Amino acid sequence: MYKTIFSHVGKYKKQAILSPVTIIGEVLMEVLIPIVMGKIIDNGIQKGDIGYVAKMGGLMVVMSICSLCFGALAARFSAVAAMGFAKNLRSALFRKVQGFSFANVDRFSTASLTTRLTTDVTNIQNAFMMFIRSAFRSPIMLVCATVMAVRQNAKLSVIFLFAIPVLGCAVFFIISKAHPRFEKMLTKYDSMNGRIQENLIGIRVVKAFAREDYEKKRFEENTNDVRLAQFAAEKLVILNMPIMQLVMYASIVAILYFGGHMSVKGGIETGELYSFIMFVGQILMSLMMLSMLFIMFVVSRASLQRIYEVLKEEPTIVAPEGASVSAEDGSIRFENVSFSYYDDMKNLALEGIDLDIHSGETIGIIGGTGSSKTSLVQLIPRLYDATAGRVLVGGHDVKEYPLETLRDQVAMVLQKNVLFSGTIRDNLRWGDENATDEEIIDACKSACAHDFIMSFPDGYDTDLGQGGVNVSGGQKQRLCIARALLKKPKIIILDDSTSAVDTATDSSIRKAFREKLGGTTTIIIAQRITSVMDADRIIVMDSGRITDIGTHAQLMESSEIYREVYDSQQKGDEE
């Protein structure tokens, strides 16, 4: 786990190495300063040698400046290394998530992935910065200061034998109890972020139903859960500091007591005692920093595990190595296909699908809610893989294609229309980044989007805002259709993508499709029969199975489900 994560330090290894190197210089200066101070007291002040005091005082000032410079360099190197490491880690996580299939994303949830990319990476960044400083500074300081203290007075050094076990037991107790609490805290963060995301996406629904108070209450409950989980974890961690300080000050009091007696009896010089006390402070401070480092490790370990889970996750959909297959045409074939979102043959969304769609054919799909219409078409561009059976596009199994090649040949307008921040032109060029203005305008005319685009003051340069908040639902659908048309695909799938437009516009879009997409296989999922009645064939689905296939006229005679839907819609139109 650690090797995988810390391999992303990358080009910032130089700074990560230079930080402890400069820290060594800082520590050496700090360890030598008490010796110089002791000599000033014993050889200068007590003997009244002002020249010696000035000489050694100047040396101490130079050493202090050197220590300051080394410390500043160490801080800079560690900050650059930690921030660079965090940048690389976030980039690696984002690239990994981009390679996930829908099934992988479903496993983690969007809110959890957001927390891992933000809070968890920040925790690791802080721990890494502290590690490359304190993990070197504290042990080096501890060893050097201990050696100097023992050389000063071995008897007084025995006090450390009592202090160190107390510190060790305290740190071990905190580490063993705190880790599971931090894991629970981060899970609560996921839940809170999920609530925020859901609420912001559905803000219009919240306001339409006047549910602001209800959502506020639920959010307060989420934030309170985070507060309680954080309190449970932090109340153990905060014990570290008072325990460390108690041991530290108790040791200093003991040294002052025993050292004072020894000084009175002439067993130790005043300057030596002063130096020894400074060394003791350095030793205990080093121990305290080491304990804080262990605590930081506990805090970040939960984040390390959560990030490692994402990095080690294998995408459920991958292209075969060296694949070079390309679609020969827009034909589609389902061979005894079954599909489950849970890879469970006892819980199937699709079962026993056998279907041949010829290249250039227009296929309509009708079925009630939950009949798995969307699940069927998502298998074509490999958004999911079939649990059993196989799907062929252009005469080849979809698993033989490079993913980019397959998805370039299949344009899909999803049930949930998504636009991105930027101009209309920027969003349309998702279909073809090299599309000319003439091609963009032609696609928009086919999707009946050109007229409303030109009604905006900035036309195609109109900024859509986040998620396309500046356009209506019907306008958003038409922009998504135009974006798909720009791909010039062999297969285009419209998943209920004209539900927000009026029947006249729907009819115009279908007419444009017939005229300009004659060689393109078109699959239209719709709730309105009028949207598919002109299709070459219409598929009727129910409970994950294909119940009937035929033209509108044939289904009116042979399919009871189709006839009931048609009659109910005709009756609704008449009323």
Side-chain angles (χ1 to χ4, degrees), residues 326-340:
S326 181
E328 298 170 3
D329 52 39
S331 62
I332 304 168
R333 180 178 178 83
F334 290 83
E335 294 182 350
N336 194 28
V337 170
S338 295
F339 170 69
S340 169

Side-chain angles (χ1 to χ4, degrees), residues 299-311:
V299 173
S300 62
R301 186 181 167 198
S303 294
L304 282 165
Q305 289 176 333
R306 285 159 56 85
I307 287 176
Y308 181 65
E309 285 176 3
V310 177
L311 291 175

